[in-house]
Every structure is written in structure tokens, then in C-alpha cells.
């Protein structure tokens, strides 16, 4: 079941990556250490240009523009956050964390930036620090879907099955057609020997994966069900 949990974890970052890059357009607006209006305007101009460069896939040019924005206005949390985003997109997770941490210091712990840093920690393999940041995000916004999904997977991998069930149930209340959440909750329930509930979740996950044509996750689901020795149908006597 740990293998399936990891497979689900591998699937979710696609969503998170989109959010991080969209943060280039949204970002956070808190700016401390205010400079003159002309310098702020110059920083904003560089930020806008960086966003354009990212959309064109020119990350090196975007990074240079963001450095110029930070030079113009070092207290601009938006610039530091977006520099982290570009570093993330370039696979430079450690450097991205430095930029996100500075942005968090400047913004007072803005939700988007905390999530971005948590995701960077996760990709670096530092699950403890990732979990800490996701917890902070959920404290600010209990319905933060991606943080709940990531925390659920981390709890599942650490054998905190009750915690995982709670997070995946919350995800499903927000997004009822999330096949990965059903599957992961099913794994968590099966690990606690709740076979009927687990098979119900696996059945729902299977239906969602088949409907969406998600053959990869469907295959992993079947493997997980076999590994957990769950029967195919709910009325199987083995469940009693």
C-alpha cells in the first residue's frame, strides 16, 4: 500500500505545479521596507516582464528580471516569491526554499508562499518540514485542497492512518470526484482492517478512473487491492 501512496503523491504535484506557476500572476501583495514610488514602479515593471518570460518558457530571462526587481525593491515579497517559483520550475529546490523563506518573512506567512515552500521541501524529500508548512497553510485555510491532499499522503506514508482518513475525507467533501483521494482513503482504511469501507472507496476510485480513462492509476489501484488482499465485490463473504 505504501507504493500506491507514493503513486498518488506523484500524481498530485501536477496540480501543485500549476498553482505555483499561476502564483507568478497572482503572488502576494504585501510589501515591506517600502522604497520610493519610482523604485516600486520599476520593480513591478520587472515582475510583469518576468511573468511574460515564464509564459514563453524563458526561465533564465525571467530569473534575471526578478533579480532586478529585488534590487529595485528588496522588501517586495512578491518578487521573492516569484523568484522561488522560477527556481522551482528550473528544479532548483534548495535555492527556491531560500527565496520562499525570505518572502514568508516579508509577508508575515502568506498562505500561497507557505504552500510553495512546503511543496519545495516535499520535492527535496524533507517530509517533516513539508508537513510543517502544509499544517501552517491548513491552519490559515482549513479547506486548502492541495495542502490537505499532500498532508494526507504524508500521513499515509508515515502510518498515521486515522489522520490520513480525516484529510482524504475532507478532500472528498470539497472535490467528490477525486479518484486518488478515494483510493488513498481506501488504502488507509484497509490498513486499519476496515475492509468494507476500504472496498467501497476502491470501488468508487475504480469508477472514476475508468470514466476519465486514467489507465495508469487504474492499474496501480488494482495492484494495491491485490496486495491488500481485498476481494472484488462488496458482497464477498471474506468481508464478513
Amino acid at each position: 500500500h505504501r507504493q500506491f501512496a507514493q503513486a498518488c503523491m506523484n500524481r498530485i504535484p501536477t496540480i501543485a505545479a500549476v498553482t505555483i506557476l499561476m502564483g507568478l500572476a497572482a503572488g502576494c501583495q504585501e510589501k515591506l521596507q517600502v522604497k520610493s514610488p519610482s523604485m516600486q514602479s520599476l520593480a513591478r515593471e520587472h515582475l510583469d516582464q518576468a511573468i511574460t518570460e515564464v509564459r514563453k518558457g524563458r526561465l533564465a530571462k525571467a530569473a534575471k528580471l526578478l533579480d532586478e526587481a529585488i534590487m529595485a525593491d528588496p522588501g517586495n515579497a512578491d518578487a521573492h516569491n516569484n523568484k522561488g517559483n522560477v527556481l522551482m520550475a528550473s528544479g532548483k529546490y534548495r535555492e527556491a526554499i531560500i527565496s520562499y523563506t525570505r518572502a514568508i518573512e516579508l509577508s508575515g506567512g502568506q498562505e500561497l508562499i507557505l504552500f510553495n515552500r512546503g511543496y519545495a521541501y516535499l520535492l527535496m524529500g524533507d517530509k517533516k518540514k513539508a508537513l510543517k508548512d502544509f499544517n501552517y497553510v491548513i491552519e490559515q485555510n482549513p479547506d486548502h485542497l492541495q495542502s490537505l491532499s499532500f498532508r494526507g499522503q504524508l500521513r499515509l506514508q508515515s502510518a498515521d492512518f486515522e489522520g490520513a482518513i480525516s484529510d482524504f475525507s475532507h478532500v472528498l467533501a470539497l472535490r467528490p470526484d477525486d479518484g486518488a483521494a478515494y483510493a488513498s482513503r481506501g488504502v488507509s482504511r484497509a490498513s486499519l482492517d476496515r475492509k468494507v469501507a476500504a472496498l467501497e472507496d476502491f470501488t468508487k476510485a475504480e469508477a472514476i478512473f475508468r470514466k476519465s480513462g486514467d489507465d495508469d492509476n487504474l492499474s496501480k489501484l488494482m495492484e494495491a487491492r491485490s496486495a491488500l488482499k481485498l476481494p472484488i465485490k462488496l458482497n464477498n463473504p471474506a468481508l464478513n
Side-chain angles (χ1 to χ4, degrees), residues 54 91 106 110 134 161 182:
V54 167
L106 292 169
Q110 203 264 355
F134 295 144
F161 302 123
Y182 275 118

Side-chain angles (χ1 to χ4, degrees), residues 130-146:
L131 182 60
K132 187 175 181 180
D133 276 348
F134 295 144
N135 282 336
Y136 283 141
V137 174
I138 293 168
E139 285 176 10
Q140 292 187 39
N141 178 6
D143 291 338
H144 195 277
L145 186 64
Q146 292 150 329

